Amino acid sequence: MNYKQDNRYEKIIHLPHPSSKKHPHMPVEDRAAQFAPFAALTGHDVAIKETSRLTEYKLELDEYEKDELDKRLNYIVSCGEDAPDINITYFLHDEKKTGGKYVSVAGGIKKIDSYKKQIIMHDGTQIPVVDVISIEGECFDKEDSGL
């Protein structure tokens, strides 16, 4: 390198940094924002998260398990107003993609709608009978219930 080229800024190298009297100095936070990434594909990150969200597949019950659930539902219906509190586990279908998840709800059954084939709980939860995987409760643990 030529020494003459190194000296070409010698006159200005030690001068103070120029600052505008009209425009105030930009805060560091605002200066950093101008270098933030540009989202060219709006909604792309949401689509990626949705695709990566896991769902489960619905299990198919065999005939024995279906019969057992029918017996338990019939027992609850026969109890009428005195129906005990139970815990129902059922498959909840995902609204956005194939599959879903298993959820449990505890409480009393308000009614069983045979036309819509739904179990309606006291809290208003509507459960399709075909999605029920298990019905548990203290009333089924007793030997004298016949279940």
Side-chain angles (χ1 to χ4, degrees), residues 1-14:
M1 214 185 261
N2 190 346
Y3 180 72
K4 205 168 199 178
Q5 288 177 341
D6 290 341
N7 287 333
R8 62 184 168 173
Y9 297 108
E10 193 64 38
K11 293 180 185 177
I12 61 170
I13 194 101
H14 299 292

